[in-house]
Amino acid sequence: MKVVALVSGGKDSCYAMMKCIQYGHQIVAVANLMPADDSVDELDSYMYQTVGHQIVVSYAECMGVPLFRRQIQGSTRHQKLSYRMTLGDEVEDMFFLLNEVKRQIPSVTGVSSGAIASDYQRLRVESVCSRLGLVSLAYLWKQDQSLLLQEMITNGIVAITVKVAAMGLDPSKHLGKEMASLQPYLHKLKELYGINVCGEGGEYETLTLDCPLFVNARIVLDEFQVILHSTDSIAPVGVLHPLAFHLENKAQSCSLGSSDKTHEMYHEKKGFVCEVQGDHPQGCDAACQDDAPVNNLVELAEHKLHISRTQKGDTFSICSRLQDSCTTSTGLQEDLEAVLKKIESLLVENGFGWENVLYIHLYIADMNEFATANDTYVRYITQEKCPFGVPSRSTIELPLLQVGLGSAYMEVFVANDHTKRVLHVQSISCWAPSCIGPYSQATLHKEILHMAGQLGLNPPTMTLCQGGAIDELEKALENSEAVAKCFNCSISTSAIAFVIYCSTKIPSTERFKIQDKQDVFLKQTRVFNFDTGTNSEAFDPIFLYVLVPDLPKGALVEVKPILFVADDIEEPTGDVKEQSCSSTPGYWGFQHAEWHDSCFQKCVVPGKLCTVILSVSSEPAATICHDHLVGDKNKGDNQNSLTEWQMDRVSRFCIYLLDKIITESGFLWDDTMYLRFYFPTSLQVPANTLSLMFTNAFDELAAMGRIIKTGKEPIFNLVPVLGAGRSSASMDDIITCELLARKS
């Protein structure tokens, strides 16, 4: 990727460029924003470091790449964390600057920045990149600052302090000092006062005088003046104002590892500096406009759509899919259009919009059409429509066409408020895989963290691990842990459930290793967290393994954790003390038996939430049907094959047992946030028939006096799979239920 690097002159932006080169990118230009008045050292800016800007002009000659500069004309007008295009804001100067770089060097596709911990800065860079169709690269993001500072020094970053503003830093003593000499003292201040050793809290700012990227010359500061901005006795503030400097040529210059002709052209013009002029544009670029209305390519009347939704008032799921698709499906794009339009209309009917959506399960019939699905998706669900954060998402290929459900199927998880906290990092970094587009890494809502499906991607390169399913799983778990840490939790202690999607490409001999590897990873991570005092208690999570035809990028494994993140750190954890089994009546002739306990896993946070995975394999199914046949000779002895009658019997057993589990855990059906029934295509029971079985069973349950709301739409979702189960080695359930309930 050809990259323009945003540089302030500080150590972070320079080291970020070095990381870009390490990961195979080319720095073809640098870009800098500076005060309109050259005599001014520092602006009152939330966004830009400008101290030392008088020297940054020499970077073009030092590096042998063109420097694009623009005087900052805007100010801080849009102060909310998530940025929207605002005329007169200082962020628009960055847009104007990078737009000019892109115009002059059309091959530029990436933007490097030195963001380490500031969401404010990162989100604004990502916003500008999104509008310009560029990729944000932030390789320092979320890195350990102590290790990072050492890396910079070890790898040849020679930088001096040009501003100090923290307890323990004295302008008269510490300005102009090299980071290598100041490093031990910064660590001491961290221990004493908790400062950020890389200066991410504004404790200090730096100016890079030399680094391996300065292939032609290094900067020598001849004379400077210390200017005090505050004489505060505890934390005085001062800046270094350069008065004179010169360049010291290096004995042998070389390029930055690029053979690109455009780069070589600029390399010959070592001092090339482009001053980007012009006022703020009065109109908004097309990319940042509110999305134009989506063309009505699909009329809903042309499709027979199946809708389901849970009945919990404050948080519920809505599912939309085609039925009878053999006669109505016209391909993925139109099927997905129909599904999206229907869900959008249902949201509007209920007074909601896409901004209320927490999570989206996107199921498609052919992963080879992922790009088409994504293009269609982003026309409906945009950042502009989701000012409180875009939903997290999981995309899976399912055997939809085999069971007559069309080419696209979507389930959305909706909240009736805007209290969600969304983590959406679009920058490529070393932290975790980026989400470039209107889908986020994770969404926290009312103590439940819904994490997007994680693949075994190497974050800096966004490529899959090459060691097979086990290596992919480990990397996916590492990525999940990185996301969890942003919410001050861990998948090893806060996870209540894991759904592991396994591709059919995994050899059967390797599937059993998946579960072992996951257990080892979680145990080791839990021990590490205990040893470091990061966490004190841990849940015993439940697991569901789902066999699917394919996953994004051809991945072998996708991990989807669900975590409980307590508002109160003293929140008790663990399973609730159950009521007596005799407190739950039997239905449809079912009575409690000890073997029922082997059919389910559950994790309960008392008074908070309950998650259940219920699995019915062939052995308990045979028992379910046989027990009933003993008392009903008229049904015939057909228990050796799963007929529709037997499946109907199994469906009632599932609902009986779920009702028992929910009740004994202290919850009601009205607490249900979502309920999914996974069924294998090998079952050979039509989806509509299966749906009717569960619907009738719920209606009968309600008629028996159980407190359960049933409406015109089913309260459950049917999910066709190739297999599912509680073990990665035997994903052969006849039916698998996944339920999440939460007290309001």
Side-chain angles (χ1 to χ4, degrees):
M1 192 181 299
K2 295 178 177 61
V3 175
V4 54
L6 291 169
V7 294
S8 62
K11 66 185 187 323
D12 302 338
S13 56
C14 285
Y15 194 57
M17 286 192 287
M18 292 175 62
K19 299 297 285 186
C20 284
I21 292 174
Q22 176 184 334
Y23 290 113
H25 304 300
Q26 302 171 10
I27 306 297
V28 298
V30 290
N32 171 252
L33 289 142
M34 60 184 180
D37 184 346
D38 193 61
S39 65
V40 172
D41 290 295
E42 185 176 36
L43 296 178
D44 183 17
S45 169
Y46 292 172
M47 186 66 192
Y48 307 117
Q49 172 191 322
T50 58
V51 181
H53 67 87
Q54 300 91 341
I55 292 179
V56 175
V57 67
S58 63
Y59 278 27
E61 186 169 348
C62 290
M63 294 179 64
V65 297
L67 168 66
F68 291 79
R69 304 193 83 189
R70 176 176 170 82
Q71 294 179 348
I72 300 169
Q73 300 177 20
S75 58
T76 305
R77 296 194 179 186
H78 192 289
Q79 297 185 14
K80 293 182 179 179
L81 182 60
S82 182
Y83 181 76
R84 289 177 66 92
M85 197 282 295
T86 304
L87 293 178
D89 192 279
E90 60 186 352
V91 175
E92 297 309 304
D93 288 296
M94 185 198 304
F95 173 82
F96 204 97
L97 176 65
L98 293 178
N99 189 51
E100 180 62 18
V101 174
K102 187 177 177 182
R103 188 188 69 82
Q104 291 199 32
I105 312 178
S107 60
V108 166
T109 54
V111 176
S112 169
S113 67
I116 297 175
S118 172
D119 284 306
Y120 185 92
Q121 294 175 345
R122 175 186 59 79
L123 287 168
R124 278 151 176 75
V125 173
E126 290 176 353
S127 174
V128 170
C129 287
S130 178
R131 289 161 60 186
L132 291 171
L134 299 170
V135 176
S136 173
L137 304 174
Y139 285 119
L140 310 189
W141 181 249
K142 291 293 182 184
Q143 298 302 293
D144 181 276
Q145 293 188 39
S146 296
L147 297 177
L148 192 57
L149 181 59
Q150 182 58 54
E151 276 185 35
M152 293 179 187
I153 295 169
T154 301
N155 286 286
I157 295 283
V158 178
I160 60 170
T161 50
V162 291
K163 178 184 177 181
V164 294
M167 187 181 300
L169 291 176
D170 186 340
S172 63
K173 294 181 180 178
H174 300 119
L175 281 174
K177 299 296 184 183
E178 287 192 12
M179 297 310 300
S181 63
L182 205 55
Q183 182 188 19
Y185 185 62
L186 292 174
H187 282 289
K188 181 179 179 180
L189 294 183
K190 178 187 176 183
E191 294 175 2
L192 291 173
Y193 310 122
I195 75 162
N196 296 280
V197 295
C198 279
E200 277 297 288
E203 294 89 347
Y204 68 90
E205 293 177 0
T206 62
L207 177 69
T208 301
L209 300 179
D210 193 15
C211 72
L213 301 182
F214 290 8
V215 292
N216 296 319
R218 62 179 60 87
I219 301 166
V220 178
L221 183 61
D222 299 314
E223 186 179 356
F224 65 85
Q225 176 185 2
V226 173
I227 299 176
L228 289 178
H229 285 185
S230 169
T231 57
D232 184 90
S233 59
I234 298 176
V237 180
V239 300
L240 181 153
H241 177 74
L243 297 174
F245 71 94
H246 71 274
L247 299 185
E248 184 178 276
N249 291 331
K250 294 188 174 180
Q252 183 177 5
S253 65
C254 60
S255 70
L256 297 180
S258 169
S259 59
D260 180 76
K261 292 182 179 179
T262 303
H263 182 274
E264 289 179 352
M265 176 184 69
Y266 285 120
H267 183 70
E268 292 172 2
K269 302 167 70 172
K270 295 179 181 178
F272 177 80
V273 177
C274 175
E275 300 289 346
V276 179
Q277 307 292 338
D279 296 328
H280 277 235
Q282 295 302 308
C284 177
D285 58 290
C288 72
Q289 292 278 10
D290 285 342
D291 293 84
V294 180
N295 293 329
N296 295 328
L297 297 179
V298 180
E299 293 295 332
L300 297 181
E302 296 178 2
H303 292 80
K304 191 174 180 181
L305 290 167
H306 174 92
I307 303 300
S308 63
R309 64 163 290 174
T310 52
Q311 298 297 314
K312 186 173 173 61
D314 60 346
T315 317
F316 55 92
S317 68
I318 300 177
C319 172
S320 177
R321 60 174 171 80
L322 272 69
Q323 55 185 355
D324 300 328
S325 67
C326 293
T327 58
T328 60
S329 178
T330 55
L332 184 139
Q333 181 174 348
E334 291 198 7
D335 286 2
L336 185 54
E337 285 260 9
V339 167
L340 283 161
K341 285 176 68 66
K342 184 60 178 179
I343 289 180
E344 189 170 69
S345 68
L346 289 171
L347 289 171
V348 172
E349 286 174 16
N350 289 275
F352 302 130
W354 292 112
E355 70 271 19
N356 295 95
V357 176
L358 306 175
Y359 199 97
I360 292 176
H361 286 89
L362 177 59
Y363 304 129
I364 59 177
D366 186 355
M367 196 56 71
N368 291 323
E369 293 190 84
F370 177 84
T372 300
N374 211 43
D375 289 345
T376 306
Y377 178 97
V378 302
R379 292 172 57 237
Y380 283 83
I381 305 168
T382 66
Q383 294 184 62
E384 287 71 27
K385 291 180 181 178
C386 303
F388 307 102
V390 292
S392 303
R393 190 182 83 178
S394 175
T395 304
I396 307 294
E397 180 181 321
L398 294 180
L400 301 176
L401 293 173
Q402 290 93 314
V403 293
L405 301 185
S407 297
Y409 174 179
M410 203 161 85
E411 178 188 348
V412 300
F413 195 37
V414 187
N416 68 351
D417 58 37
H418 297 142
T419 61
K420 65 181 180 181
R421 177 186 162 198
V422 175
L423 177 65
H424 184 204
V425 179
Q426 298 187 71
S427 300
I428 294 176
S429 68
C430 298
W431 161 71
S434 64
C435 289
I436 303 174
Y439 30 87
S440 58
Q441 279 89 355
T443 300
L444 177 64
H445 181 257
K446 293 187 176 180
E447 300 185 307
I448 301 178
L449 183 62
H450 308 274
M451 195 179 296
Q454 291 292 327
L455 304 178
L457 293 170
N458 290 306
T461 60
M462 292 296 289
T463 56
L464 286 168
C465 295
Q466 298 299 311
I470 305 306
D471 284 357
E472 282 191 30
L473 174 66
E474 183 173 22
K475 180 56 69 174
L477 291 168
E478 289 176 1
N479 293 336
S480 300
E481 179 70 1
V483 172
K485 284 182 178 179
C486 292
F487 295 87
N488 298 316
C489 62
S490 167
I491 62 169
S492 68
T493 52
S494 298
I496 55 175
F498 287 89
V499 179
I500 313 295
Y501 298 102
C502 301
S503 168
T504 54
K505 299 174 185 175
I506 303 175
S508 57
T509 54
E510 197 173 354
R511 287 179 191 167
F512 75 93
K513 299 178 183 178
I514 290 175
Q515 194 165 348
D516 292 340
K517 182 63 181 180
Q518 178 167 282
D519 291 344
V520 169
F521 181 93
L522 293 176
K523 182 178 180 180
Q524 290 177 341
T525 306
R526 189 178 298 127
V527 169
F528 175 81
N529 287 331
F530 288 163
D531 290 345
T532 58
T534 308
N535 299 96
S536 58
E537 293 186 72
F539 290 106
D540 187 11
I542 60 179
F543 298 89
L544 170 62
Y545 298 88
V546 182
L547 188 63
V548 298
D550 203 359
L551 293 166
K553 294 181 177 288
L556 300 175
V557 177
E558 180 171 327
V559 177
K560 190 187 70 171
I562 304 166
L563 289 75
F564 178 76
V565 184
D567 292 334
D568 182 358
I569 59 174
E570 300 298 325
E571 186 72 43
T573 62
D575 284 342
V576 69
K577 184 177 181 180
E578 297 183 358
Q579 300 176 17
S580 169
C581 295
S582 61
S583 65
T584 305
Y587 304 114
W588 300 300
F590 296 117
Q591 295 294 333
H592 175 73
E594 290 186 2
W595 64 267
H596 291 181
D597 294 341
S598 66
C599 292
F600 68 88
Q601 312 165 68
K602 72 172 183 176
C603 184
V604 178
V605 182
K608 292 280 190 175
L609 62 84
C610 173
T611 182
V612 181
I613 292 173
L614 189 156
S615 302
V616 179
S617 58
S618 56
E619 185 174 343
T623 304
I624 292 164
C625 297
H626 179 268
D627 287 349
H628 187 67
L629 286 171
V630 169
D632 192 349
K633 301 298 184 181
N634 295 326
K635 294 295 182 180
D637 189 13
N638 57 0
Q639 66 267 28
N640 291 327
S641 61
L642 204 64
T643 64
E644 286 190 12
W645 172 83
Q646 289 173 314
M647 190 62 229
D648 184 66
R649 185 69 184 159
V650 169
S651 68
R652 279 162 170 71
F653 172 78
C654 290
I655 294 175
Y656 154 75
L657 193 52
L658 284 173
D659 181 66
K660 177 178 179 295
I661 296 166
I662 291 171
T663 302
E664 293 178 357
S665 300
F667 290 80
L668 302 172
W669 279 105
D670 286 353
D671 297 322
T672 303
M673 299 168 70
Y674 60 72
L675 172 60
R676 303 185 188 103
F677 292 106
Y678 299 87
F679 69 99
T681 53
S682 59
L683 196 61
Q684 297 182 343
V685 176
N688 291 339
T689 301
L690 196 58
S691 180
L692 184 61
M693 290 177 183
F694 282 109
T695 299
N696 290 340
F698 276 115
D699 288 342
E700 291 173 17
L701 188 68
M704 293 174 193
R706 303 302 293 160
I707 302 174
I708 180 171
K709 294 179 184 177
T710 56
K712 62 179 182 179
E713 296 104 3
I715 62 172
F716 57 86
N717 299 331
L718 282 181
V719 184
V721 295
L722 297 179
R726 60 198 303 173
S727 167
S728 61
S730 56
M731 293 176 276
D732 54 5
D733 287 355
I734 290 173
I735 200 79
T736 309
C737 316
E738 180 191 4
L739 178 144
L740 177 64
R742 177 180 58 77
K743 290 291 186 182
S744 298

